[in-house]
Amino acid sequence: MPTREEFLYFSTPEKLLFYILVFLSLAYMASQIISRVRLWLQGKPIDWYKTRTGRSYWVPTKEGIQHWVTNIVVFVLGQKKVRSSRPKSGAPMHLMIFYGFFTLFLATTLFAINTYSPIKFHHGNYYLAYEMVVDIMGVAFLIGVAWAAMRRYLNLKSELGRAMVDEPKQLIQRRRWPMSQSANDFWTLGLLFIMGVTGYWLEAARMSADPQPFDWSAPVGHLWAQFQGPFSPLAYKVVWWFHMVWVFAFFCVLPKMRLRHVMMAIFTTAGKSDTPMGKLKSISMEEVEQTEQIGVKFGKDLSRWHLMSLDACMECGRCTEVCPAWNVGKLLNPKQIVQDIRGAHQAGLEIAPAIGEEALWACTTCNACVEACPVLIRHVDLIVDVRRNLVSEGQLSGSSATMLRQTASTSNAWGQSASTREDWMKGLDIPLCRDGVEFDFLFWVGCAGATDPNAVKTTKATAELLKKAGVKFACLGKEEACTGDPARRVGEEFLFQEKAQQNASVFEKYGVKKVVTTCPHCMNSLKHEYGEFGANLEVYHHSQLLQDLVSKGSLLAAKPKRGEVAFHDPCYLARVNEESQAPRDLLSNEVVEPEHAKHKTLCCGAGGGRMWMEETLAQRPANRRTEELLATGATTVAVGCPFCRIMLGDSIKQVRPNDEIKLLDLAELLQEANAASPETYPNN
Ligand code: SF4
Ligand code: SF4
């Protein structure tokens, strides 16, 4: 019957030597893992991974185990994030390495179970299928490893070429991957390749020393055996030990190299938070009193999960590849931030100087890095936590500090007085909550929507459409205050909390249950972050409510000419709140798609408080995005966010000063389409 004999030709002392070496190499690996676990345990207990019953996911309850298993199946075994990344990011290469490695690991485990347990199943047809699958997946593994080495070689070559260019030292350090790291990568890939090749050699040596009629079931080893001819038992044992030396070396170096992510990512993904991407963790006054500190200064101020996630980083660079700040030449490099925090924590150093303030303030909190990361690292949490500490220590100056002062004194991020929030309403007969009107939806206007001249056009168009469709809505007018979103993302947590409490009490006063807003940033904050302040609301972006009205026949969808309109997905709508279809439905799906669309959209550069920070012309993410949108040939850019509108409006003037490019909100395009229709639709 087809099968394989364990320890073919091995004497008892040889077997004993093998067990001693396995034990020593695994013990060394375990000691290194324990030292990493000690570093994780210096962090704060994980209090945000709670089940609905309030128990931690780390306690093995039924619900907790379901959570772990689901995440491991989806993100580790299913490689969800890697599969959804672009082939340019090396996705097929990584999948070959992962599934090849996983098959070889599983095969070794099954072989060990067969050898050391009373259950014997390694024979017959199962054995033939096992040999065939392992042989084929081994080839995939080797191709993946060779492909990875080639990618690294080409990257390094282009880096070395660029190193001749005279760039500031700080920029070179942050924007280039260190040479030592590249060398480390080549060692790792070399080790994997040697393990794979010597594995085949071992298989061929066994067949050459002890040929069997079913050897064809492992075609690569079989071919190799035929090529090399007969082997003596001694020659077979030499090849066996040669292969095992590399395996022992692999155990020893695994936790030291970036290859450690194969282990660490299992823990990170298993314990991943269910907190929505757009929700930042609150800080309580009790916490501040206890720690006498706001935000994160040292690694130990982070949660244990965050510290563990730093070790899971596979240094693939997907986060950096999609970062809008990095792509316009800024110092912000999310991959490097992860390494910097990891290094600072290990050395017991402060995090902000390790990262560099310029990089920290460059983040737009667009979450592109979070969305791209295969091991679910939450870069935005890390960055905002460090910003909180800097702000509390008075390290924020310039226009963003002015924005915070304005928000605190006028409840408007642009410093406009409360009464100006009603200026746009003049002559429009807009219902106000304070007049006691009945309403289904609160129309939340937002600071920009109420006071920025272009954003006001969106506000007016939305109000007109809601009226036309017979929606019962009301506004807060001067009782509305900034949601506090820009303050929170800049790092002024307690100003955010003050504004959230102020608005939540107004919602309670008027019994607000449903909210519609034209601003995805307000939408995100009201939907995900206001619950903690007692405001449990149903929140809609205006595109969602308008799309619902179109589907019910209460409004007409716009029908732009083919190729005329490109839609810019706002990060906080498409990526953070997973809505990219409603805007397209409003435009009858007649949009031309730029390179980055839907949840992979490219940020305009306004989020995270960047709207209020100075920007050099060459480093405006909005200019890059505008070029991408206009490269589609569209003559109209449609938007669904007042921040995007402001940023792209300036960029269109800079990028295409002589062209007639229109910039319109979805509501305005819909308003045009409905201009000739009856005043109020009969369905309502
Ligand atoms: S943080 Fe995530 S996306 Fe970035 S390099 Fe590490 S693993 Fe890759
Ligand atoms: S959130 Fe956006 S800007 Fe900030 S690091 Fe991530 S990708 Fe870059």
mmCIF file of all heavy atoms in Angstrom, residues 312-320 334-335 338-339 369 372-377 379, ligand 1:
data_model
loop_
_atom_site.group_PDB
_atom_site.id
_atom_site.type_symbol
_atom_site.label_atom_id
_atom_site.label_comp_id
_atom_site.label_asym_id
_atom_site.label_seq_id
_atom_site.Cartn_x
_atom_site.Cartn_y
_atom_site.Cartn_z
ATOM 1 N N ALA A 312 2.723 42.366 14.266
ATOM 2 C CA ALA A 312 2.137 41.598 13.160
ATOM 3 C C ALA A 312 2.416 42.248 11.806
ATOM 4 O O ALA A 312 2.145 41.642 10.766
ATOM 5 C CB ALA A 312 0.633 41.469 13.363
ATOM 6 N N CYS A 313 2.952 43.470 11.823
ATOM 7 C CA CYS A 313 3.195 44.180 10.553
ATOM 8 C C CYS A 313 4.113 43.352 9.656
ATOM 9 O O CYS A 313 5.193 42.931 10.069
ATOM 10 C CB CYS A 313 3.810 45.548 10.811
ATOM 11 S SG CYS A 313 4.265 46.400 9.292
ATOM 12 N N MET A 314 3.685 43.103 8.447
ATOM 13 C CA MET A 314 4.497 42.308 7.520
ATOM 14 C C MET A 314 5.359 43.193 6.637
ATOM 15 O O MET A 314 6.017 42.708 5.710
ATOM 16 C CB MET A 314 3.594 41.399 6.682
ATOM 17 C CG MET A 314 2.539 42.128 5.876
ATOM 18 S SD MET A 314 1.135 41.061 5.541
ATOM 19 C CE MET A 314 1.661 40.348 4.011
ATOM 20 N N GLU A 315 5.296 44.504 6.906
ATOM 21 C CA GLU A 315 6.128 45.480 6.194
ATOM 22 C C GLU A 315 5.938 45.395 4.685
ATOM 23 O O GLU A 315 6.888 45.519 3.918
ATOM 24 C CB GLU A 315 7.600 45.305 6.597
ATOM 25 C CG GLU A 315 7.813 45.572 8.075
ATOM 26 C CD GLU A 315 9.160 45.112 8.598
ATOM 27 O OE1 GLU A 315 10.119 45.142 7.831
ATOM 28 O OE2 GLU A 315 9.233 44.730 9.788
ATOM 29 N N CYS A 316 4.678 45.173 4.297
ATOM 30 C CA CYS A 316 4.393 45.018 2.871
ATOM 31 C C CYS A 316 4.318 46.362 2.152
ATOM 32 O O CYS A 316 4.441 46.422 0.931
ATOM 33 C CB CYS A 316 3.065 44.277 2.702
ATOM 34 S SG CYS A 316 1.662 45.165 3.414
ATOM 35 N N GLY A 317 4.054 47.436 2.920
ATOM 36 C CA GLY A 317 4.006 48.769 2.309
ATOM 37 C C GLY A 317 2.695 49.105 1.635
ATOM 38 O O GLY A 317 2.581 50.146 0.990
ATOM 39 N N ARG A 318 1.666 48.257 1.787
ATOM 40 C CA ARG A 318 0.381 48.579 1.152
ATOM 41 C C ARG A 318 -0.181 49.881 1.721
ATOM 42 O O ARG A 318 -0.806 50.663 1.015
ATOM 43 C CB ARG A 318 -0.624 47.443 1.378
ATOM 44 C CG ARG A 318 -0.359 46.228 0.521
ATOM 45 C CD ARG A 318 -1.423 45.150 0.741
ATOM 46 N NE ARG A 318 -1.209 44.027 -0.147
ATOM 47 C CZ ARG A 318 -0.357 43.036 0.097
ATOM 48 N NH1 ARG A 318 0.358 43.040 1.206
ATOM 49 N NH2 ARG A 318 -0.208 42.055 -0.764
ATOM 50 N N CYS A 319 0.020 50.097 3.030
ATOM 51 C CA CYS A 319 -0.491 51.314 3.677
ATOM 52 C C CYS A 319 0.165 52.555 3.076
ATOM 53 O O CYS A 319 -0.500 53.559 2.808
ATOM 54 C CB CYS A 319 -0.260 51.252 5.183
ATOM 55 S SG CYS A 319 1.439 50.864 5.634
ATOM 56 N N THR A 320 1.454 52.468 2.842
ATOM 57 C CA THR A 320 2.184 53.621 2.315
ATOM 58 C C THR A 320 1.799 53.871 0.859
ATOM 59 O O THR A 320 1.636 55.016 0.438
ATOM 60 C CB THR A 320 3.696 53.354 2.448
ATOM 61 O OG1 THR A 320 3.968 53.145 3.831
ATOM 62 C CG2 THR A 320 4.520 54.507 1.944
ATOM 63 N N PRO A 334 3.025 55.641 6.591
ATOM 64 C CA PRO A 334 2.376 54.823 7.630
ATOM 65 C C PRO A 334 3.134 53.540 7.983
ATOM 66 O O PRO A 334 3.138 53.125 9.136
ATOM 67 C CB PRO A 334 0.992 54.528 7.055
ATOM 68 C CG PRO A 334 0.949 55.079 5.689
ATOM 69 C CD PRO A 334 2.118 55.982 5.480
ATOM 70 N N LYS A 335 3.785 52.934 6.998
ATOM 71 C CA LYS A 335 4.567 51.718 7.317
ATOM 72 C C LYS A 335 5.696 52.085 8.293
ATOM 73 O O LYS A 335 5.946 51.371 9.267
ATOM 74 C CB LYS A 335 5.156 51.133 6.026
ATOM 75 C CG LYS A 335 6.111 49.978 6.270
ATOM 76 C CD LYS A 335 6.492 49.255 4.995
ATOM 77 C CE LYS A 335 7.679 49.876 4.311
ATOM 78 N NZ LYS A 335 8.210 49.045 3.216
ATOM 79 N N VAL A 338 4.516 52.622 11.905
ATOM 80 C CA VAL A 338 4.367 51.370 12.663
ATOM 81 C C VAL A 338 5.725 50.909 13.191
ATOM 82 O O VAL A 338 5.868 50.545 14.364
ATOM 83 C CB VAL A 338 3.704 50.289 11.771
ATOM 84 C CG1 VAL A 338 3.744 48.925 12.428
ATOM 85 C CG2 VAL A 338 2.267 50.679 11.455
ATOM 86 N N GLN A 339 6.746 50.976 12.334
ATOM 87 C CA GLN A 339 8.087 50.542 12.771
ATOM 88 C C GLN A 339 8.634 51.481 13.846
ATOM 89 O O GLN A 339 9.279 51.049 14.801
ATOM 90 C CB GLN A 339 9.079 50.519 11.590
ATOM 91 C CG GLN A 339 8.621 49.723 10.388
ATOM 92 C CD GLN A 339 8.062 48.379 10.762
ATOM 93 O OE1 GLN A 339 8.665 47.636 11.525
ATOM 94 N NE2 GLN A 339 6.880 48.059 10.249
ATOM 95 N N CYS A 369 -4.964 53.631 4.734
ATOM 96 C CA CYS A 369 -3.967 52.685 5.252
ATOM 97 C C CYS A 369 -4.656 51.571 6.051
ATOM 98 O O CYS A 369 -4.317 50.396 5.907
ATOM 99 C CB CYS A 369 -2.951 53.417 6.133
ATOM 100 S SG CYS A 369 -3.709 54.483 7.370
ATOM 101 N N ALA A 372 -6.303 49.171 3.793
ATOM 102 C CA ALA A 372 -5.384 48.360 2.982
ATOM 103 C C ALA A 372 -4.630 47.320 3.802
ATOM 104 O O ALA A 372 -4.146 46.332 3.260
ATOM 105 C CB ALA A 372 -4.372 49.271 2.285
ATOM 106 N N CYS A 373 -4.513 47.531 5.104
ATOM 107 C CA CYS A 373 -3.595 46.703 5.897
ATOM 108 C C CYS A 373 -4.089 45.256 6.047
ATOM 109 O O CYS A 373 -5.156 45.010 6.608
ATOM 110 C CB CYS A 373 -3.400 47.326 7.280
ATOM 111 S SG CYS A 373 -2.247 46.356 8.264
ATOM 112 N N PRO A 374 -3.301 44.292 5.589
ATOM 113 C CA PRO A 374 -3.743 42.885 5.654
ATOM 114 C C PRO A 374 -3.825 42.349 7.072
ATOM 115 O O PRO A 374 -4.514 41.367 7.312
ATOM 116 C CB PRO A 374 -2.665 42.116 4.878
ATOM 117 C CG PRO A 374 -1.722 43.116 4.336
ATOM 118 C CD PRO A 374 -1.986 44.427 4.968
ATOM 119 N N VAL A 375 -3.096 42.979 8.018
ATOM 120 C CA VAL A 375 -3.128 42.456 9.388
ATOM 121 C C VAL A 375 -3.930 43.380 10.322
ATOM 122 O O VAL A 375 -3.822 43.295 11.537
ATOM 123 C CB VAL A 375 -1.708 42.195 9.927
ATOM 124 C CG1 VAL A 375 -1.039 41.086 9.148
ATOM 125 C CG2 VAL A 375 -0.858 43.449 9.895
ATOM 126 N N LEU A 376 -4.730 44.244 9.716
ATOM 127 C CA LEU A 376 -5.740 45.045 10.415
ATOM 128 C C LEU A 376 -5.174 46.070 11.407
ATOM 129 O O LEU A 376 -5.831 46.386 12.406
ATOM 130 C CB LEU A 376 -6.762 44.130 11.115
ATOM 131 C CG LEU A 376 -7.291 42.953 10.300
ATOM 132 C CD1 LEU A 376 -8.266 42.126 11.119
ATOM 133 C CD2 LEU A 376 -7.961 43.410 9.019
ATOM 134 N N ILE A 377 -3.994 46.561 11.156
ATOM 135 C CA ILE A 377 -3.434 47.610 12.024
ATOM 136 C C ILE A 377 -4.268 48.878 11.863
ATOM 137 O O ILE A 377 -4.698 49.211 10.764
ATOM 138 C CB ILE A 377 -1.947 47.857 11.661
ATOM 139 C CG1 ILE A 377 -1.136 46.626 12.061
ATOM 140 C CG2 ILE A 377 -1.402 49.113 12.340
ATOM 141 C CD1 ILE A 377 0.298 46.632 11.630
ATOM 142 N N HIS A 379 -3.865 52.412 12.002
ATOM 143 C CA HIS A 379 -2.913 53.527 12.031
ATOM 144 C C HIS A 379 -3.543 54.811 12.559
ATOM 145 O O HIS A 379 -2.886 55.592 13.240
ATOM 146 C CB HIS A 379 -2.373 53.815 10.626
ATOM 147 C CG HIS A 379 -1.892 52.609 9.881
ATOM 148 N ND1 HIS A 379 -2.732 51.615 9.449
ATOM 149 C CD2 HIS A 379 -0.658 52.250 9.487
ATOM 150 C CE1 HIS A 379 -2.029 50.691 8.819
ATOM 151 N NE2 HIS A 379 -0.764 51.043 8.824
HETATM 152 S S1 SF4 B 1 1.057 48.400 8.540
HETATM 153 FE FE1 SF4 B 1 -0.098 46.834 7.431
HETATM 154 S S2 SF4 B 1 -0.139 47.584 5.291
HETATM 155 FE FE2 SF4 B 1 1.461 48.729 6.366
HETATM 156 S S3 SF4 B 1 3.354 47.641 5.992
HETATM 157 FE FE3 SF4 B 1 2.521 46.844 7.924
HETATM 158 S S4 SF4 B 1 1.255 45.082 7.337
HETATM 159 FE FE4 SF4 B 1 1.656 46.240 5.451
#
